Amino acid sequence: AALNIKDETGTRTVRIKTNVVNVTLPVKSSLNSVNWSYLDFPLIRDLQTEAVSDLFRHRTNVIVVPPAHIPALPSPKPDEFIKLEKYLASHRGADKILLFTNFNTNSVGSSSGSDRFMTVSWQNNFKKWYYDVLKSAATAGFSKEQIYLYPFDEMNGDKVRNFISLATWVRKEIPGIRLYATINNAEALKTIEHLDIAQLCDCPKLLAALPSSKSEIWIYDSIYTVPSKTLSPYSYYRLKAWRAYLMGYRGIGFWAYADSGFDKSRANPWDDFDGKYPDYAVIYRGDDNRIISSRRWEAWRMGLEDYELLTMYARKMGDAAARGLARHVLEKQDDTTRADAVRRQMLETLSR
């Protein structure tokens, strides 16, 4: 194969040697992937269909529904459920849906002083609300087993206490309800026993303090101190899946697919390398309004593919062998050749 590179000085041809192996990755991902891909971000607001297709191409299988698309307690209007149904339907094919209600600490999910969090009135309204949400989800093509309530984000203080109160009550009142939360501090580890999925910040001290539980453990990163363009496609994005494989985590995530800031003027941040704006997007827009991947976004997909190959390799050669390969890659993360070398090794083995 040949790659033609053209610039103002002319065209150059680079010869590429390829070796095609007979290995097919499964359509459904073994590792859950979430990146808070809100379709309201200015970068993709008018490219929602294209964005969803791009997410699925990059093996995103978990969708977070933002609060603006979730009917509000205590008395949501019928058109709010239609809005939710439409948002969900646009993501048909996803494996899991996280309903980010973003309950606050004072009058959770309610604007009414007489319907405050966990009062009898609030509980009754919540139960009706939840079953109506499930109806909208079913109409959009999702079962109740695919729906997870995501009431608080990165909890601390009152949010931790409110979540435990909610979880303890709702487990008794709504059998089968599924709960999810992000955790970025030691205090919030108290909620682990109440969660179906606990997604922890990929921080060594926090993960080391993780108590034993039946919760499914995922990891994520959200670095706000530097522009995401300065983060390594290899060690920050691609190797997240390798760490998940080695440690037995079932999901990975990062903030955020298309967050270039909510300022409409920042809808196409090609030139934001100075850190002046809060830009975390891993995609760009071309002149024809098509979505263009960053190297970080392609590295994320490669990591998810690597995870599938590790899983397939383990079935053929044993889990210890696959974990040994993952450990080899992770022990020297500044060597950007290791993952590719191991990937080739796994492909050659799997093709025999």
Side-chain angles (χ1 to χ4, degrees):
L3 177 66
N4 292 323
I5 302 175
K6 184 177 181 181
D7 61 19
E8 63 274 7
T9 64
T11 301
R12 295 170 179 81
T13 300
V14 178
R15 300 294 175 183
I16 301 173
K17 184 179 179 180
T18 59
N19 179 29
V20 179
V21 296
N22 185 26
V23 175
T24 302
L25 295 176
V27 175
K28 286 289 187 181
S29 294
S30 302
L31 182 64
N32 293 286
S33 175
V34 56
N35 46 63
W36 287 265
S37 48
Y38 302 159
L39 298 183
D40 289 342
F41 282 127
L43 185 56
I44 56 172
R45 190 173 294 157
D46 60 343
L47 293 174
Q48 296 189 8
T49 300
E50 294 86 345
V52 172
S53 296
D54 185 55
L55 289 163
F56 287 165
R57 282 195 302 271
H58 287 77
R59 305 187 77 85
T60 301
N61 69 327
V62 181
I63 300 300
V64 183
V65 182
H69 291 269
I70 298 176
L73 287 166
S75 302
K77 299 179 176 60
D79 61 344
E80 294 181 59
F81 290 98
I82 295 173
K83 184 179 181 181
L84 171 63
E85 180 186 323
K86 183 178 179 181
Y87 195 90
L88 291 174
S90 68
H91 296 87
R92 189 175 285 121
D95 293 331
K96 295 179 178 65
I97 299 294
L98 311 180
L99 296 173
F100 182 31
T101 53
N102 198 24
F103 290 159
N104 61 50
T105 58
N106 296 317
S107 183
V108 180
S110 171
S111 59
S112 171
S114 61
D115 194 39
R116 296 175 73 84
F117 179 57
M118 295 304 292
T119 61
V120 173
S121 176
W122 188 93
Q123 291 174 356
N124 289 335
N125 283 324
F126 178 89
K127 285 191 286 186
K128 183 179 186 308
W129 170 88
Y130 182 75
Y131 286 118
D132 286 341
V133 163
L134 290 185
K135 289 178 185 178
S136 292
T139 303
F142 294 95
S143 69
K144 66 179 182 179
E145 290 78 18
Q146 292 176 280
I147 305 300
Y148 291 75
L149 183 66
Y150 175 11
F152 298 100
D153 185 59
E154 298 183 338
M155 298 175 281
N156 56 32
D158 286 346
K159 289 183 180 181
V160 170
R161 291 184 286 274
N162 281 340
F163 175 79
I164 292 174
S165 176
L166 171 64
T168 302
W169 168 76
V170 82
R171 291 288 192 198
K172 298 175 182 177
E173 295 296 321
I174 305 179
I177 192 171
R178 301 188 176 201
L179 301 175
Y180 163 97
T182 51
I183 294 175
N184 71 342
N185 63 83
E187 182 185 13
L189 290 175
K190 299 174 185 176
T191 67
I192 290 283
E193 64 181 289
H194 300 279
L195 291 165
D196 294 280
I197 298 173
Q199 188 152 15
L200 277 71
C201 175
D202 190 10
C203 311
K205 288 184 179 180
L206 184 66
L207 291 168
L210 180 65
S212 176
S213 76
K214 295 180 180 179
S215 302
E216 190 169 299
I217 304 301
W218 299 4
I219 55 175
Y220 77 104
D221 264 319
S222 55
I223 293 182
Y224 303 113
T225 55
V226 298
S228 65
K229 295 183 182 71
T230 67
L231 299 172
S232 167
Y234 181 76
S235 61
Y236 186 86
Y237 288 93
R238 185 175 179 180
L239 294 191
K240 187 73 68 187
W242 291 79
R243 284 196 287 280
Y245 185 84
L246 183 61
M247 301 305 297
Y249 304 135
R250 299 293 304 280
I252 57 176
F254 69 91
W255 179 274
Y257 171 69
D259 180 11
S260 58
F262 276 96
D263 181 350
K264 292 181 180 179
S265 67
R266 300 299 305 161
N268 200 16
W270 275 99
D271 58 351
D272 178 27
F273 287 91
D274 58 6
K276 182 178 179 181
Y277 297 96
D279 176 13
Y280 311 104
V282 293
I283 58 170
Y284 302 92
R285 289 171 62 134
D287 292 336
D288 56 357
N289 280 332
R290 64 190 176 90
I291 291 175
I292 298 177
S293 294
S294 67
R295 291 177 61 221
R296 291 163 289 131
W297 187 219
E298 291 306 313
W300 185 259
R301 172 163 61 181
M302 289 187 73
L304 291 162
E305 293 171 349
D306 295 337
Y307 186 98
E308 297 299 341
L309 292 173
L310 285 163
T311 302
M312 296 164 68
Y313 187 87
R315 285 199 290 267
K316 184 169 185 175
M317 305 300 293
D319 182 62
R323 287 169 57 82
L325 293 179
R327 191 176 293 109
H328 170 73
V329 169
L330 292 169
E331 68 185 6
K332 196 172 182 182
Q333 297 185 29
D334 59 346
D335 181 355
T336 59
T337 67
R338 287 202 177 192
D340 283 340
V342 169
R343 185 184 179 108
R344 286 192 295 270
Q345 177 183 340
M346 291 190 293
L347 286 168
E348 289 169 1
T349 299
L350 292 170
S351 65
R352 290 199 291 266

